[in-house]
Amino acid sequence: MSGRTLLAFDFGTKSIGVAVGQEITGTARPLTSLKASDGRPDWQQIEKLLKEWQPQLVIVGLPLNMDGTEQLVTSQARNFANRIHGRFGVKVELHDERLSTVEAKAGLFEQGGYRALSKGKVDSASAVVILESWFEQQI
């Protein structure tokens, strides 16, 4: 394992969760949640995050149905990943995120009960789950 810094995005049409992680430790932490309009983020915010963290790789959660089939938001997430790569020239990988929101909500609830379940926190925690599950699959 190298010591790369990675950013992860939990793509949603109204909100996009962001987490940062270190490959050397295999851990991630929530950063923020970005507002999106019909899946379109403020690209300046994305650019600012990329400049600040200088990730060597970006992971974008790929939302699939539980049976593995695609839904409308799946192609929107792919487009989002392609745009990050196209605009900023950073390497992007898609990662199956089927259980990330469920895991994120369970983890936040354990830490702080219902008050911890604000939408922004859930989205950025989902990005953490996506990134940490990506790390686990690299071993």
Coordinates of all heavy atoms in Angstrom, one line a residue, residues 9 11-16 18 34-47 76 79-81 83-84 87-88:
F9 N -16.8 10.6 -2.9 CA -18.0 11.3 -3.0 C -19.2 10.3 -3.0 O -19.2 9.3 -3.7 CB -18.0 12.0 -4.4 CG -17.1 13.2 -4.4 CD1 -15.8 13.0 -5.0 CD2 -17.4 14.4 -4.0 CE1 -14.9 14.0 -5.0 CE2 -16.5 15.5 -4.0 CZ -15.2 15.3 -4.6
F11 N -22.6 10.4 -4.2 CA -23.3 11.2 -5.1 C -24.8 11.1 -4.8 O -25.4 10.0 -4.6 CB -23.1 10.7 -6.6 CG -23.9 11.5 -7.6 CD1 -23.5 12.7 -8.0 CD2 -25.1 10.9 -8.0 CE1 -24.3 13.4 -8.9 CE2 -25.9 11.6 -8.9 CZ -25.5 12.9 -9.4
G12 N -25.5 12.2 -4.9 CA -27.0 12.2 -4.8 C -27.4 13.4 -5.6 O -26.7 14.3 -5.9
T13 N -28.7 13.4 -6.0 CA -29.2 14.4 -6.8 C -29.4 15.8 -6.1 O -29.3 16.8 -6.7 CB -30.6 14.0 -7.5 OG1 -31.5 13.7 -6.5 CG2 -30.4 12.9 -8.5
K14 N -29.6 15.7 -4.8 CA -29.7 16.9 -4.0 C -28.5 17.3 -3.1 O -28.3 18.4 -2.7 CB -31.0 16.8 -3.1 CG -32.3 16.8 -3.8 CD -33.5 16.7 -2.9 CE -34.8 16.8 -3.6 NZ -35.1 15.6 -4.4
S15 N -27.8 16.2 -2.8 CA -26.6 16.4 -1.9 C -25.5 15.4 -2.2 O -25.8 14.3 -2.6 CB -27.2 16.2 -0.4 OG -26.1 16.3 0.5
I16 N -24.3 15.8 -2.1 CA -23.2 15.0 -2.4 C -22.2 15.0 -1.1 O -21.7 16.0 -0.8 CB -22.4 15.5 -3.6 CG1 -23.3 15.4 -4.8 CG2 -21.1 14.6 -3.9 CD1 -22.8 16.2 -6.0
V18 N -18.9 14.1 1.1 CA -17.5 14.1 0.8 C -16.7 13.6 2.0 O -17.0 14.0 3.1 CB -16.9 15.5 0.4 CG1 -15.5 15.3 -0.2 CG2 -17.8 16.1 -0.7
L34 N -22.1 18.7 0.0 CA -22.3 19.7 -1.0 C -23.7 19.7 -1.5 O -24.2 18.6 -1.8 CB -21.3 19.6 -2.2 CG -19.8 19.4 -1.8 CD1 -19.1 19.1 -3.1 CD2 -19.3 20.7 -1.2
K35 N -24.3 20.8 -1.6 CA -25.7 20.9 -2.2 C -25.5 20.6 -3.7 O -24.5 21.0 -4.3 CB -26.3 22.3 -2.0 CG -26.6 22.6 -0.6 CD -28.0 22.2 -0.3 CE -28.4 22.5 1.2 NZ -28.1 21.4 2.1
A36 N -26.5 20.0 -4.3 CA -26.5 19.7 -5.7 C -27.9 20.1 -6.2 O -28.9 20.0 -5.5 CB -26.2 18.3 -6.0
S37 N -28.0 20.5 -7.5 CA -29.2 20.8 -8.1 C -29.5 19.8 -9.2 O -28.8 19.8 -10.2 CB -29.2 22.2 -8.7 OG -30.4 22.5 -9.4
D38 N -30.4 18.9 -8.9 CA -30.7 17.8 -9.9 C -29.4 17.0 -10.3 O -29.2 16.7 -11.5 CB -31.4 18.3 -11.1 CG -32.1 17.2 -11.9 OD1 -32.4 16.2 -11.3 OD2 -32.3 17.4 -13.1
G39 N -28.5 16.8 -9.3 CA -27.3 16.1 -9.5 C -26.1 16.9 -10.0 O -25.0 16.4 -10.1
R40 N -26.4 18.2 -10.2 CA -25.3 19.1 -10.6 C -24.7 19.8 -9.4 O -25.4 20.7 -8.8 CB -25.8 20.1 -11.7 CG -25.9 19.4 -13.0 CD -26.2 20.5 -14.1 NE -27.5 21.2 -13.8 CZ -28.7 20.8 -14.1 NH1 -28.9 19.6 -14.6 NH2 -29.7 21.5 -13.8
P41 N -23.5 19.6 -9.1 CA -22.8 20.3 -7.9 C -22.3 21.6 -8.4 O -22.3 22.0 -9.5 CB -21.7 19.4 -7.6 CG -21.2 18.8 -8.9 CD -22.5 18.6 -9.7
D42 N -21.9 22.4 -7.4 CA -21.2 23.6 -7.7 C -19.7 23.2 -7.9 O -19.0 22.8 -7.0 CB -21.2 24.5 -6.4 CG -20.4 25.8 -6.6 OD1 -19.5 25.8 -7.5 OD2 -20.6 26.7 -5.8
W43 N -19.3 23.2 -9.2 CA -18.0 22.7 -9.6 C -16.9 23.4 -8.9 O -15.8 22.9 -8.7 CB -17.9 22.6 -11.1 CG -18.7 21.5 -11.7 CD1 -19.9 21.7 -12.3 CD2 -18.5 20.1 -11.6 NE1 -20.4 20.4 -12.6 CE2 -19.6 19.5 -12.2 CE3 -17.5 19.4 -11.0 CZ2 -19.7 18.1 -12.3 CZ3 -17.6 18.0 -11.1 CH2 -18.7 17.4 -11.7
Q44 N -17.1 24.7 -8.6 CA -16.1 25.5 -7.9 C -15.8 24.9 -6.5 O -14.6 24.8 -6.0 CB -16.4 26.9 -7.7 CG -16.4 27.7 -9.1 CD -16.8 29.1 -8.9 OE1 -17.8 29.4 -8.3 NE2 -16.0 30.0 -9.6
Q45 N -16.8 24.3 -5.8 CA -16.6 23.7 -4.5 C -15.8 22.4 -4.7 O -14.9 22.1 -3.9 CB -18.0 23.4 -3.9 CG -18.7 24.6 -3.3 CD -20.0 24.2 -2.7 OE1 -20.8 23.4 -3.2 NE2 -20.2 24.7 -1.5
I46 N -16.1 21.7 -5.7 CA -15.4 20.4 -6.0 C -13.9 20.8 -6.3 O -13.0 20.1 -5.8 CB -16.0 19.7 -7.2 CG1 -17.5 19.4 -7.0 CG2 -15.2 18.4 -7.6 CD1 -17.9 18.1 -6.5
E47 N -13.7 21.8 -7.1 CA -12.3 22.2 -7.5 C -11.6 22.6 -6.2 O -10.4 22.3 -6.0 CB -12.4 23.4 -8.5 CG -11.0 23.8 -8.9 CD -11.0 24.9 -10.0 OE1 -12.1 25.5 -10.2 OE2 -10.0 25.0 -10.7
Q76 N -26.3 9.0 -13.5 CA -25.9 10.3 -13.1 C -24.6 10.3 -12.3 O -23.8 11.2 -12.4 CB -27.1 10.9 -12.2 CG -28.3 11.3 -13.0 CD -29.4 11.7 -12.1 OE1 -29.8 11.1 -11.2 NE2 -30.0 12.9 -12.5
N79 N -21.8 9.9 -14.7 CA -21.5 11.2 -15.4 C -20.7 12.1 -14.5 O -19.8 12.8 -14.9 CB -22.8 11.9 -15.8 CG -23.5 11.2 -17.0 OD1 -22.9 10.4 -17.7 ND2 -24.8 11.5 -17.2
F80 N -21.1 12.1 -13.2 CA -20.4 12.9 -12.2 C -18.9 12.5 -12.1 O -18.0 13.3 -12.2 CB -21.1 12.8 -10.9 CG -20.4 13.4 -9.7 CD1 -20.4 14.8 -9.6 CD2 -19.8 12.7 -8.7 CE1 -19.8 15.4 -8.5 CE2 -19.2 13.3 -7.6 CZ -19.2 14.6 -7.5
A81 N -18.7 11.2 -12.1 CA -17.3 10.7 -12.0 C -16.6 11.1 -13.3 O -15.4 11.5 -13.2 CB -17.4 9.1 -11.8
R83 N -17.1 13.6 -15.2 CA -16.8 15.0 -15.2 C -15.7 15.4 -14.3 O -14.9 16.3 -14.7 CB -18.1 15.8 -14.8 CG -19.1 15.8 -16.0 CD -20.1 16.9 -15.8 NE -21.1 16.7 -16.9 CZ -22.3 16.4 -16.7 NH1 -22.8 16.1 -15.5 NH2 -23.2 16.2 -17.7
I84 N -15.6 14.8 -13.2 CA -14.5 15.0 -12.3 C -13.2 14.7 -13.0 O -12.2 15.5 -13.0 CB -14.6 14.2 -11.0 CG1 -15.7 14.8 -10.1 CG2 -13.2 14.3 -10.2 CD1 -15.9 14.0 -8.8
R87 N -12.7 17.3 -16.1 CA -12.5 18.7 -15.7 C -11.1 18.8 -15.0 O -10.4 19.8 -15.2 CB -13.5 19.2 -14.7 CG -14.8 19.7 -15.4 CD -15.8 20.1 -14.3 NE -17.0 20.4 -15.0 CZ -17.6 21.6 -14.9 NH1 -17.1 22.5 -14.2 NH2 -18.8 21.8 -15.5
F88 N -10.8 17.9 -14.1 CA -9.7 18.1 -13.2 C -8.5 17.1 -13.5 O -7.5 17.3 -12.8 CB -10.1 18.0 -11.8 CG -11.3 18.9 -11.5 CD1 -12.5 18.4 -11.2 CD2 -11.1 20.3 -11.5 CE1 -13.6 19.3 -11.0 CE2 -12.2 21.2 -11.3 CZ -13.5 20.6 -11.0

